[in-house]
Amino acid sequence: MTARPLRLRRVRKLVPGSRSGRGATPKVVALGGGMGLSASLAALRRITGDLTAVVTVADDGGSSGRLRDELGVLPPGDLRKALAALCGDDDWGQTWSRVIQHRFTSEGELHDHAVGNLLIVALWEQLGDHVQALDLVGKLLGAHGRVLPMSAVPLELQALVKGHDETRPDEISTVRGQATVALTPGEVQSVHLVPEDPPAVPEVVAAVRDADWVVLGPGSWFSSVIPHLLVPELREALEETKARKVLSLNLAPQPGETDGFSPQRHLEVLARHAPKLAFDVVLADRAAVPDTESLTAAAKQLVGSEVELAEVAAPGSPCGTAETHKGAARHDPELLAAAYDRIFRMHGRIGPWR
């Protein structure tokens, strides 16, 4: 079976709790971190009123890393980005999105801290509950969905990297820290978390098991996507849920982390970390797939999935180009929303929303 191109149409934007068609909108859980998850959320909030974002908590760079080191808290940065992506397109939503994303510029300790990071950490300290605090921030922002950390324990990401030392190209080294792994020279072989078996947030497990659709990716493959599969309770929920699952591939390899990776290579490393996990659909941008037949075969063999190709990149994004600098390739939220909407409608109807 060859990959099927998606014929996309504009989708009607929805608000939380709204209804479309013959029933409530689907319950969707999106997992990831950083800008990849933000892109997915900006699309999904346009087509469902029941959306939960599950965010990695291994970030150790920038403002998040400083707050983590100083206060011993979860890194708030990716959680903040997810909340900003869920803000609406009205004046209220866009104003608050800009506010929580604002970074201070100074000669002192506040330099480069994001307002949203400080707000989230302050509420964690006030309420003593990660989930309650994030729900309160979401309510303040009028967020079109819920944001949850995948674990309530700050995690360290470690990677086994071949050729991290350029003078020893065949040597395997251990690289520590998400920020370092994301930009490491050499070839990442595998990643793991410290502690190795962190507990999942119960609300995350419940959301995955109760979902109609689960979306994993896009995002930094080793540092934002695969970490979700390294939390035993969460991986088990993903394997056992009755929800249908979409794996959303990146527009281009990420410099350092996945240099030279083909789309099918991304599937290979994911299957190596979670061999029992299957998907219903692998979504890829048509321009980012140079060999459709190879990807179709790999998707069926490795994750038991069909492949759907669609134009989901923002105009001018250099898809599939290994030489692109970080952040150059961007998803278009309207096009990505149309792709998700088409997949949800055409790949089975489960639950009361249809």
Side-chain angles (χ1 to χ4, degrees):
M1 180 184 293
T2 57
R4 298 190 300 175
L6 287 176
R7 295 180 179 178
L8 305 181
R9 61 181 180 80
R10 283 196 180 273
V11 294
R12 182 167 59 87
K13 296 179 182 179
L14 301 175
V15 297
S18 68
R19 291 181 172 265
S20 174
R22 288 170 286 178
T25 56
K27 296 178 182 178
V28 181
V29 175
L31 303 96
M35 298 309 297
L37 178 60
S38 294
S40 205
L41 296 176
L44 288 167
R45 69 173 171 82
R46 288 166 160 78
I47 61 173
T48 181
D50 196 333
L51 177 58
T52 300
V54 180
V55 183
T56 54
V57 286
D59 189 9
D60 60 350
S63 171
S64 286
R66 290 160 59 194
L67 290 168
R68 173 177 174 164
D69 289 343
E70 184 174 345
L71 301 174
V73 296
L74 294 180
D78 283 355
L79 295 160
R80 181 199 81 245
K81 291 174 186 175
L83 285 162
L86 290 175
C87 287
D89 295 322
D90 56 0
D91 288 342
W92 180 274
Q94 289 306 293
T95 297
W96 275 109
S97 178
R98 290 192 299 271
V99 167
I100 66 169
Q101 294 282 56
H102 175 76
R103 290 183 182 272
F104 296 104
T105 301
S106 74
E107 299 287 332
E109 294 296 322
L110 266 178
H111 178 69
D112 207 36
H113 272 307
V115 171
N117 288 358
L118 302 178
L119 174 62
I120 290 169
V121 172
L123 283 169
W124 283 341
E125 292 192 344
Q126 286 284 317
L127 301 178
D129 185 298
H130 294 101
V131 172
Q132 184 182 357
L134 289 166
D135 284 344
L136 188 58
V137 178
K139 185 177 181 180
L140 172 66
L141 272 54
H144 292 209
R146 192 182 197 191
V147 174
L148 299 171
M150 69 178 186
S151 177
V153 178
L155 303 172
E156 179 183 77
L157 186 70
Q158 295 187 1
L160 296 179
V161 182
K162 182 179 180 180
H164 177 69
D165 183 344
E166 296 179 359
T167 65
R168 300 176 178 177
D170 295 324
E171 184 176 274
I172 304 294
S173 306
T174 298
V175 175
R176 295 175 172 82
Q178 181 176 329
T180 305
V181 171
L183 298 174
T184 182
E187 182 179 319
V188 179
Q189 304 291 298
S190 64
V191 290
H192 62 276
L193 296 174
V194 178
E196 288 189 0
D197 297 320
V201 168
E203 289 86 350
V204 168
V205 173
V208 169
R209 291 188 179 276
D210 191 45
D212 294 312
W213 281 91
V214 171
V215 178
L216 180 63
S220 300
W221 214 243
F222 286 104
S223 52
S224 292
V225 175
I226 289 178
H228 290 281
L229 312 181
L230 306 179
V231 179
E233 292 171 296
L234 178 52
R235 182 179 64 245
E236 184 178 283
L238 288 168
E239 292 169 350
E240 295 178 354
T241 181
K242 294 181 180 179
R244 298 186 183 274
K245 286 164 279 189
V246 180
L247 181 62
S248 190
L249 297 182
N250 293 331
L251 299 174
Q254 180 176 345
E257 191 171 312
T258 54
D259 268 335
F261 274 35
S262 64
Q264 48 269 30
R265 181 70 183 280
H266 285 75
L267 300 186
E268 290 171 5
V269 297
L270 185 143
R272 196 160 63 236
H273 286 83
K276 295 181 181 179
L277 183 60
F279 290 84
D280 295 276
V281 180
V282 170
L283 172 64
D285 186 88
R286 188 176 293 106
V289 181
D291 187 343
T292 301
E293 290 187 3
S294 292
L295 177 58
T296 300
K300 182 177 181 180
Q301 177 184 356
L302 296 169
V303 294
S305 171
E306 297 182 29
V307 172
E308 297 284 8
L309 301 180
E311 294 178 2
V312 294
S317 288
C319 300
T321 305
E323 289 77 19
T324 57
H325 63 277
K326 186 178 181 181
R330 295 181 297 105
H331 286 85
D332 181 284
E334 290 284 353
L335 293 176
L336 188 56
Y340 284 142
D341 185 60
R342 170 75 172 178
I343 288 169
F344 293 172
R345 291 174 183 275
M346 297 303 294
H347 287 268
R349 296 175 176 179
I350 60 176
W353 60 280
R354 291 289 182 236

